[in-house]
Amino acid sequence: MRSVVVQGHRQVSVEQVPDPVLPGPDGAIVAVETAAICGSDLHFYDGDLPFYPVAVGHEVVGRIVEVGTQVSRFHVGERVLVASVAGCGACAGCQTRNPIACHSGAKVFGSGELGGGQSDLLAVPAADFQLLRVPEGIDDEAALLLTDNLGTGWAGAQRADIPPGGTVVVLGLGAVGLCAVRSALVLGAGRVLAVDPVAGRRARAASFGAEPLAPPEGVSIGEAVLAATGGLGADAVIDAVAVDRSLDDAFAAVRATGTISVIGVHDMAPYPMPALMGVFRSITLRMTTAPVHRTWSDLVPLIRHGRLSTTGLFTDVYDLDQAPAAYERIAARTADCVKVRFRVG
Ligand SMILES: [Zn+2]
Ligand SMILES: [Zn+2]
């Protein structure tokens, strides 16, 4: 089968590799129909996580072509989406439906631990836990967003303790940041200030209901947020970038007693946290990847009943064989390219 492999810094290729086999009697094989590129795939591509070669991709929608003897909830032929983060499915941690709590340790597809989803076939362990039948009224793009990005934005907004009518800053307006913008509004934010260096991305956030915030030359993001909030600062800051600079901005923009909710993926280096300022200002700092499985019961009804839109995020579609061009396009982080998906099956 074909598999997209990041070979090194800014080097990606489509390789022919052996078909995967069932990962145990509780597993399934999914024939991928469409798979998306995630910002975290770019951490390999850009060299932030230099573990090569790595078969990438963890956002997958497809059809089941094989199930193990212990799989009870799914059958061959069903259309499913695959949670990007995997747990064993059997332990007390997984029973909370948050794979991060798995006692065996959560694993992410396409990061070296499990197969990459930008491929023709994907082996899925603990299929009863890991899969969701694509619900009625959920299109391919919404289904792809339910594997990771929307759950991440949703979890980031939930964990931001947004008071009704409160002011939220979202740092970084890639797909996850834009999902956080929409989630914050659904969860009761009165005002979302959307920050990104790319004007077109701010404009996209504005079309989703946010207020774009672009500090003029010489004015910091923290100063601009203070100016926009009468000197108070934001009730919550959602950091969908998670580099040292954005974390500094988050501490500068949040009000005393406010919450910083980090959903970006930091690089391997430690961050020098302003702990003294944090304690004196009584700041709550939360960091998370998405509790993907747990978000489905919230998000599916919100999407199906039109309360949470998933449109306007996918901007580009490529055939799997065009992966090098697709990666080059998304890595340029231009205004008009937010989220890329592959046609596979
Ligand atoms: Zn992802
Ligand atoms: Zn587990």
Side-chain angles (χ1 to χ4, degrees):
M1 69 161 187
R2 298 169 300 168
S3 176
V4 175
V5 177
V6 177
Q7 307 282 2
H9 181 236
R10 300 250 158 179
Q11 291 170 41
V12 69
S13 59
V14 184
E15 299 293 315
Q16 281 293 333
V17 300
D19 288 358
V21 294
L22 271 184
D26 66 347
I29 302 290
V30 172
V32 180
E33 293 182 346
T34 181
I37 298 180
C38 180
S40 33
D41 299 324
L42 297 183
H43 285 292
F44 296 109
Y45 185 74
D46 287 336
D48 302 330
L49 301 174
F51 308 113
Y52 307 122
V54 58
V56 284
H58 55 261
E59 302 183 356
V60 166
V61 173
R63 203 171 283 280
I64 297 174
V65 291
E66 190 178 355
V67 292
T69 53
Q70 290 174 12
V71 175
S72 60
R73 296 181 52 229
F74 294 94
H75 307 286
V76 168
E78 287 183 304
R79 282 196 89 229
V80 290
L81 59 95
V82 185
S84 55
V85 185
C88 76
C91 73
C94 285
Q95 277 166 33
T96 70
R97 301 196 63 70
N98 185 352
I100 294 302
C102 179
H103 297 183
S104 312
K107 299 181 176 69
V108 182
F109 290 95
S111 65
E113 296 178 303
L114 297 169
Q118 289 159 21
S119 58
D120 288 307
L121 296 167
L122 181 66
V124 180
D128 281 337
F129 178 65
Q130 207 55 36
L131 300 177
L132 179 71
R133 220 165 270 116
V134 176
E136 199 178 315
I138 300 292
D139 64 21
D140 279 0
E141 294 185 352
L144 284 170
L145 292 169
L146 285 167
T147 66
D148 178 353
N149 285 180
L150 187 56
T152 304
W154 181 252
Q158 277 191 313
R159 291 163 61 84
D161 301 328
I162 301 167
T167 296
V168 179
V169 175
V170 176
L171 301 175
L173 303 172
V176 168
L178 289 167
C179 286
V181 165
R182 280 178 164 155
S183 297
L185 290 167
V186 168
L187 288 166
R191 189 179 185 200
V192 176
L193 303 173
V195 181
D196 192 285
V198 180
R201 294 189 166 204
R202 295 194 300 272
R204 194 175 291 263
S207 77
F208 292 3
E211 286 175 49
L213 185 78
E217 191 72 30
V219 176
S220 71
I221 289 167
E223 289 165 344
V225 171
L226 288 178
T229 55
L232 187 63
D235 296 297
V237 180
I238 300 172
D239 182 359
V241 183
V243 296
D244 288 3
R245 174 83 181 274
S246 68
L247 289 162
D248 288 346
D249 289 338
F251 275 101
V254 73
R255 64 179 284 182
T257 74
T259 299
I260 297 170
S261 178
V262 180
I263 47 176
V265 178
H266 198 270
D267 66 18
M268 304 287 283
Y271 166 63
M273 194 175 80
L276 184 65
M277 183 260 271
V279 76
F280 279 129
R281 300 185 68 238
S282 196
I283 304 303
T284 299
L285 173 62
R286 295 212 175 93
M287 314 177 102
T288 193
T289 61
V292 179
H293 313 61
R294 193 193 280 175
T295 65
W296 290 336
S297 56
D298 295 342
L299 294 173
V300 169
L302 287 168
I303 297 168
R304 288 179 66 181
H305 300 296
R307 304 293 173 195
L308 183 59
S309 170
T310 55
T311 60
L313 291 168
F314 281 93
T315 51
D316 297 77
V317 186
Y318 287 84
D319 290 324
L320 193 67
D321 293 326
Q322 300 172 297
Y327 269 83
E328 197 175 321
R329 167 107 170 111
I330 186 84
R333 294 178 172 80
T334 57
D336 56 343
C337 178
V338 175
K339 185 90 177 152
V340 172
R341 70 182 178 93
F342 292 111
R343 277 181 296 259
V344 183

